[in-house]
Every structure is written in structure tokens, then in C-alpha cells.
Amino acid sequence: MGCFFSKRRKTEKESRPENEEERPKQYSWDQREKVDPKDYMFSGLKDETAGRLPGKVAGQQFLIQDCENCNIYIFDHSATVTIDDCTNCIIFLGPVKGSVFFRNCRDCKCTLACQQFRVRDCRKLEVFLCCATQPIIESSTNIKFGCFQWYYPELAFQFKDAGLSIFNNTWSNIHDFTPVSGELNWSLLPENAVVQDYVPIPTTEELKAVRVSTEANRSIVPISRGQRQKSSDESCLVVLFAGDYTIANARKLIDEMVGKGFFLVQTKEVTMKAEDAQRVFREKAPDYLPLLNKGPVIALEFNGDGAVEGCHLIINEIFNGTKVLHVH
């Protein structure tokens, strides 16, 4: 059988005109658009503003290295971002599906969202962060953290494309791999820190096309107090069950509660199992089990004197019987 095919190939070759070369086989992976790494890299820039517009990175890996005195804006989602040997730079990163890794950087101000955040051998970074897992620093000093605060029209879709939830943000729960006795290598930025004083909106013609807002009430990620000291002994947990308007309802409730002077401590979007429901809802758990099958719940923790009653009033007034549950 092998001889048969061998012979046939020879015959085909002999019958082909002399000046016609044999065409290489075409495979589907050969027809994909070739990715040029240079399109996904800023290297060796100095005193420049550079960026990528929405749709220009589209989930690729990105590298920023050896940049000095630069303003860099990635207005798109990416797979991972590595930032090496950068000094005195301002950096904005749209949602990153995997990790953001800073190495050997100093005096940088950043706003970014990612699944994992790591800093190694860095000093004096100020980061407005949305991170789905515990941020990690190593062999670094004077790293300051605040909550992500940023908006542009494409950003909500980019969070979805990167597989990130705007409600899963552990920005202030830092783990230091190399703590020094008696010193703190990281701290939280002042609560009244204005994000635009750290990471200003770009002013170049190309990047101005992105309609950015840094106003707190427009931020795609809800601004939470995280690990900051609570102002009151009274907290209120609200659970919103999956439905068509869950995200909109959560945003509305946050706006109303914050507008009345309560603090948003933390947010979570999680799939609740039966045992979780038993722990949270106790004797009412059986009533809520069918609702848990519809999808992940959004949990919000508010703090402030009168938070429970205030939440009751808002839910009755605005949501009018929507399946929202609060526990305290």
C-alpha cells in the first residue's frame, strides 16, 4: 500500500509542468492573522504618551519595558501584562484576564484591573486596583493601594471579555511575601485620593477619542472601602439573586445607600452552594434554594449606623418586592 502511494506521487510530479512549483499544503492555522509582537509592546520609550485604543489588543499578551517619564494607556482587554524596568511612568491597563506583573519599577502611578497582581523588586508604586485574587508584593517597598475608579463606554464589555466580575475586587487585601519586622512595605492611599491626580485622562488627539470619566459615581467597578477601619459597629449584608437586572439593581442600591451616607465595604459575585445558603440564610434557606440555581449571586456589605433599617427602606421603596434579601 505504501508503494502504491509513493508511485502515485511520483506520477503526479512528473505530469506537472516544469515551471510550476509544488504548492505547500494549506492548514487552517496558517491562515490565521499573524501576530506581530511589536504591536503588543512598548519598549524603550522616554518622555512620551503612548497607548492602544479599544479593539487594538483584543486579548493578546502585552509587554511594557524600559520606559521612563511616559504616560501609557491600554484601553482594551489583554491576556497578561508584564511591566519591567519602568521609572516615573503613569500607566492605565484595561481588564487583564490573567496576571499583571511589575518587576524592577519605581515611582509609577497606575490604574488597572486583573485576575492576579504581583509586584517584585519595586519601590514607590501607587496603584488604583481591581483584582479578583489577593494582590501580592515581594521584595518591594512603599507600595500604596486604592480602589479602581475609571469609566469609558467599552470598559464593561472588556471586563466580560476578560472573564472578570466588577464585583470581585480584593484590592486592599495585600499579601507581602517578604515582610520586614517593624516595617510595613505597603499601605492604603488616602480615602479622599483623587484618581485623576495620579492617573490623568490622556490629552493626545488619538487617545482623547476614548470617552473617559474618573467620577466616582460612574466607575465601572463599585468603589469599596475594603480593609479600611469601619466607621460603625453596624453592618448590613445584601444578597441579590441572579436575574435580568441583577447588576443594574446592585448599582442602584449602591448609589442609594452611598447617597444616604452609608459606606460600601466590599462586594462579591459568587455561586452559592446549599451549605452556603444554610450558613447565610439559616432557617429561611429552603425558601431561597430554588433562586440559587439561576446563577451567581451578588453580595454587598454596607456599614454605618442605621444601615439595616436604611437598606430595608430603600429596598421596599425602590425594588418593590424584587427578590432581594438583606441579612445583618
Side-chain angles (χ1 to χ4, degrees), residues 66-97:
D66 300 311
C67 293
E68 189 180 342
N69 299 328
C70 289
N71 290 15
I72 293 168
Y73 301 86
I74 309 295
F75 288 125
D76 205 0
H77 68 103
S78 48
T80 61
V81 179
T82 306
I83 301 161
D84 287 339
D85 304 298
C86 289
T87 304
N88 200 32
C89 289
I90 286 167
I91 298 170
F92 172 84
L93 302 177
V96 180
K97 186 171 190 171

Side-chain angles (χ1 to χ4, degrees), residues 114-155:
C114 59
Q115 176 73 24
Q116 294 176 310
F117 180 79
R118 288 200 68 178
V119 169
R120 196 175 73 204
D121 300 316
C122 293
R123 63 185 170 89
K124 207 176 175 211
L125 302 187
E126 292 163 325
V127 186
F128 290 85
L129 180 64
C130 176
C131 188
T133 56
Q134 186 175 34
I136 290 170
I137 69 168
E138 185 180 350
S139 305
S140 298
T141 57
N142 202 4
I143 314 296
K144 295 182 180 178
F145 293 91
C147 183
F148 182 99
Q149 183 175 320
W150 204 266
Y151 167 86
Y152 53 88
E154 299 85 353
L155 189 52

Side-chain angles (χ1 to χ4, degrees), residues 35-55:
V35 170
D36 185 348
K38 289 195 192 70
D39 292 337
Y40 306 98
M41 176 193 298
F42 289 129
S43 183
L45 303 184
K46 190 171 182 184
D47 304 320
E48 284 187 50
T49 294
R52 290 286 182 268
L53 293 171

Side-chain angles (χ1 to χ4, degrees), residues 191-222:
E191 198 159 5
N192 60 357
V194 178
V195 67
Q196 207 173 318
D197 292 345
Y198 296 79
V199 183
I201 293 172
T203 53
T204 60
E205 278 308 311
E206 181 196 22
L207 298 174
K208 265 193 338 196
V210 182
R211 301 201 309 280
V212 174
S213 169
T214 59
E215 289 171 32
N217 63 347
R218 295 194 71 191
S219 177
I220 287 291
V221 173

Side-chain angles (χ1 to χ4, degrees), residues 177-196:
F177 260 133
T178 50
V180 178
S181 181
E183 292 179 32
L184 196 58
N185 292 321
W186 64 272
S187 60
L188 302 185
L189 286 162
E191 198 159 5
N192 60 357
V194 178
V195 67
Q196 207 173 318

